[in-house]
């Protein structure tokens, strides 16, 4: 990230953090509630074209990734948030039953703002 992009990403992270804290305290961590709260901040949902190309918007909210527990996969309650601030800067966050977190990072070639679910 360039220093200017890092500064912008930090500013957006600071806007998102209190909203996630409120949602967590209200026990609202489902993608629908989180998406509505993020859209209320003025972000626009990311759109893609037929070949997966980005065609507008900067926000993506999705369910948590499944994880392996004992002998099967479980998808925990909660939401993952990705906000593309600039081509070289993202805000990534999550909110779930046990906690929430907001951080800034650069995008991944394979998966945009979200860390790839496989080896990088």
């Amino acid at each position: 990230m360039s220093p200017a992009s890092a500064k912008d990403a930090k500013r957006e992270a600071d806007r998102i953090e209190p909203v996630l804290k409120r949602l967590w305290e209200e026990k609202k961590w489902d993608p629908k509630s989180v998406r509505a709260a993020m859209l209320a901040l003025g972000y626009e949902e990311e759109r893609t074209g037929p070949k997966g190309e980005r065609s507008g918007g900067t926000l993506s909210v999705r369910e948590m990734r499944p994880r392996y527990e004992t002998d099967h996969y479980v998808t925990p309650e909660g939401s993952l948030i990705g906000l593309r601030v600039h081509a070289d800067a993202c805000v990534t966050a999550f909110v779930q039953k046990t906690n929430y977190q907001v951080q800034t990072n650069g995008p991944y070639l394979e998966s945009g703002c979200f860390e790839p679910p496989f080896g990088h």
Side-chain angles (χ1 to χ4, degrees):
M1 266 188 288
S2 72
S5 292
K7 183 178 178 182
D8 290 348
K10 173 74 168 104
R11 183 179 62 244
E12 297 304 323
D14 289 346
R15 286 185 70 215
I16 290 170
E17 194 275 335
V19 174
L20 293 186
K21 180 180 182 186
R22 176 181 53 82
L23 290 168
W24 180 72
E25 290 170 345
E26 294 172 354
K27 299 179 178 8
K28 293 181 179 178
W29 39 75
D30 61 283
K32 183 178 178 182
S33 297
V34 173
R35 183 177 297 106
M38 294 295 103
L39 294 174
L41 288 175
Y43 301 122
E44 188 178 333
E45 212 162 355
E46 191 171 50
R47 297 179 307 281
T48 56
K51 296 181 182 175
E53 70 278 8
R54 293 183 61 237
S55 63
T58 58
L59 173 72
S60 183
V61 178
R62 51 178 81 157
E63 68 180 14
M64 300 293 280
R65 288 198 175 104
R67 62 178 171 234
Y68 195 77
E69 288 186 9
T70 312
D71 62 352
H72 62 286
Y73 283 93
V74 174
T75 301
E77 292 180 57
S79 297
L80 297 171
I81 300 106
L83 178 70
R84 188 176 294 270
V85 179
H86 293 296
D88 66 337
C90 294
V91 174
T92 54
F94 67 83
V95 59
Q96 60 186 0
K97 185 176 184 175
T98 55
N99 62 337
Y100 66 95
Q101 179 180 321
V102 181
Q103 65 184 23
T104 62
N105 55 276
Y108 298 90
L109 291 175
E110 305 91 340
S111 54
C113 290
F114 295 105
E115 184 174 351
F118 44 83
H120 184 68

